[in-house]
Amino acid sequence: MLASQRKKVILELLAQHKQVLSRELSQKFMISEDSIRRDLRELAAEGLLQRVHGGALPASAATAPIETRKNVQNRSKQKVAEKAVKLIQPGQVVMIDGGTTAHELVARIPQDIAFTVVTHSPGIAVSLVDHPQVEVIVIGGRLFKHSVVTVGSAMIDAISHINADLFFMGVTGIHARAGFTTGDYEEACVKRALSQCAAETVVMASAEKMSAASAFAIGPLSLASTIIIDGEPDAALREACAKQQIALL
């Protein structure tokens, strides 16, 4: 079998099973694991999969700059936001991540609900200017322009003094094996730190992030108490959430 044909089969298997293992592929194609690893490296370089130890996972399509992502899966993000906003209760302290799904969430916050928002997203903060009942705390730091959020040690130190009720977290990938991932190392650290400052973490994910992975781990699925997704999760993800008592909405 030609390398191009083999790669096509690998991608088909990945789409079907949501992961592939180098050892199993080596046995299937009767070639060395070194050859399989070369195939996976080349596919990863094209952005067609995410390599992990021992194999590969589907690559997330949600790692583009924020302006590009504004036009991806808009209806899916809106449906997730409609469900998420119902979790906010009066008087709560709510941390809201950056990202396009978070902007859809903020757009649906009722004018008459009084609560406090903590955010490291300047865009989210500005979107809440016309909500008279919402107190807004903006966490400063170095601006990560790709996602238009602040990151860095100053930002992490500031949030360490906050005990929030909810954290609405955005991710680029949710996978039963890889957990929650994103496309930038420092952003992954920030999301993990924010989650540790909240009583409950709610992960919001539009359809393209399901059963996909990016390069940097935020943490395992157990980081979240609730995952709001548009679409039907695969059996592995549903089973993993049930085992860890994570609510799937």
Side-chain angles (χ1 to χ4, degrees), residues 208-222:
E208 80 280 11
K209 300 169 186 176
M210 295 288 300
S211 299
S214 296
F216 300 99
I218 301 166
L221 294 179
S222 58

Side-chain angles (χ1 to χ4, degrees), residues 57-71:
L57 304 176
S60 173
T63 55
I66 193 166
E67 286 301 319
T68 302
R69 287 183 280 124
K70 284 180 180 179
N71 299 313

Side-chain angles (χ1 to χ4, degrees), residues 24-77:
E24 293 179 357
L25 292 173
S26 173
Q27 293 169 353
K28 177 179 179 63
F29 296 116
M30 293 184 291
I31 60 174
S32 69
E33 285 195 48
D34 279 344
S35 296
I36 291 298
R37 282 192 286 268
R38 184 171 60 250
D39 288 346
L40 297 181
R41 278 196 300 270
E42 292 172 358
L43 289 167
E46 296 177 51
L48 299 175
L49 54 77
Q50 175 63 53
R51 293 183 69 206
V52 294
H53 181 72
L57 304 176
S60 173
T63 55
I66 193 166
E67 286 301 319
T68 302
R69 287 183 280 124
K70 284 180 180 179
N71 299 313
V72 176
Q73 294 282 358
N74 284 342
R75 183 53 191 146
S76 182
K77 293 170 184 175

